[in-house]
Amino acid sequence: LSIGDEPTPGQFQQIAAATKDRVDALQIHTMLLRSMQQAIYTAANNGHFGLAYGAYTHFTSPIRRYPDLLVHRVIKALLLGKRYHLLTGPVKNPAPQRRKASAKPNAKPAQLTLEGEMWEAAGSHCSANERRADEASRDVEAWLKCRYMREHLGEEFAGTVSAATSFGLFVQLEGLYVEGLVHITELGGEY
């Protein structure tokens, strides 16, 4: 299968389907996910690339994150026949305030509503905080795995090579989902 410079969701789905029964399917599917751009919160409805949906939103219930709260508020206002505004909450007939966007390259459209700018700022803030929270979770998870594994130093485990680099192999231990480096100097004559 081939994939273009600007792949479509269908191309990703074809690769996933064609490789689902292979022994290295986990590695292939992981690389497919890693090659996709991370989702961001934005005022524009850009759909969902991976699911190939033209319109998409996501929230959890019960509310666990600020973006969930915003989506709940918007849906509640829509169900009441209103529109939710960040500063004032639900209102009936909003009068958009307009402000000229900058003339910089890659700038937003010529006219952008103040409300649109506020939603963009909220989206950027939520995206950045979600990335920061994900990074903190990964750090804690890595620390807990290290703490657990120090009780098992010297033991042998079955594992799968998850990545190969010029300095060694990364191996994920089966059943434990702990990944570690086997340095190239430990490979002996298997270079």
Side-chain angles (χ1 to χ4, degrees):
L1 297 170
S2 63
I3 195 162
D5 289 339
E6 293 189 31
T8 64
Q11 289 174 318
F12 280 100
Q13 290 168 355
Q14 284 177 334
I15 293 171
T19 59
K20 69 180 172 64
D21 296 324
R22 291 174 47 142
V23 294
D24 56 353
L26 178 63
Q27 289 82 6
I28 293 169
H29 296 173
T30 299
M31 294 310 296
L32 282 174
L33 284 173
R34 287 181 182 171
S35 69
M36 290 188 217
Q37 183 179 357
Q38 280 190 314
I40 59 168
Y41 295 105
T42 179
N45 185 358
N46 296 321
H48 190 289
F49 178 82
L51 296 176
Y53 290 160
Y56 179 82
T57 192
H58 169 82
F59 62 93
T60 59
S61 184
I63 297 168
R64 295 191 323 230
R65 306 166 307 138
Y66 186 64
D68 298 336
L69 176 66
L70 291 177
V71 171
H72 278 256
R73 287 176 176 172
V74 168
I75 291 172
K76 184 176 177 183
L78 289 172
L79 290 173
L80 295 172
K82 299 179 180 182
R83 183 177 172 145
Y84 182 79
H85 289 272
L86 283 172
L87 285 181
T88 59
V91 294
K92 252 191 179 169
N93 294 315
Q97 298 172 318
R98 299 204 174 273
R99 182 169 105 69
K100 287 196 187 245
S102 67
K104 297 176 188 172
N106 301 327
K108 295 178 179 147
Q111 292 288 321
L112 194 63
T113 66
L114 182 58
E115 182 77 13
E117 287 183 11
M118 291 172 60
W119 279 107
E120 281 296 324
S124 294
H125 177 75
C126 289
S127 295
N129 281 327
E130 196 158 295
R131 303 287 180 269
R132 195 178 72 190
D134 287 345
E135 189 175 325
S137 293
R138 281 191 295 273
D139 288 348
V140 169
E141 188 176 306
W143 179 80
L144 288 170
K145 287 176 179 179
C146 287
R147 186 175 173 131
Y148 174 79
M149 290 307 295
R150 78 176 174 192
E151 304 297 323
H152 300 280
L153 291 176
E155 295 180 30
E156 289 187 16
F157 296 90
T160 303
V161 173
S162 56
T165 67
S166 61
F167 53 84
L169 303 171
F170 284 92
V171 176
Q172 185 174 47
L173 302 182
E174 291 178 15
L176 296 175
Y177 303 101
V178 173
E179 189 175 53
L181 173 69
V182 178
H183 195 268
I184 196 166
T185 58
E186 300 296 319
L187 296 177
E190 300 182 42
Y191 181 81

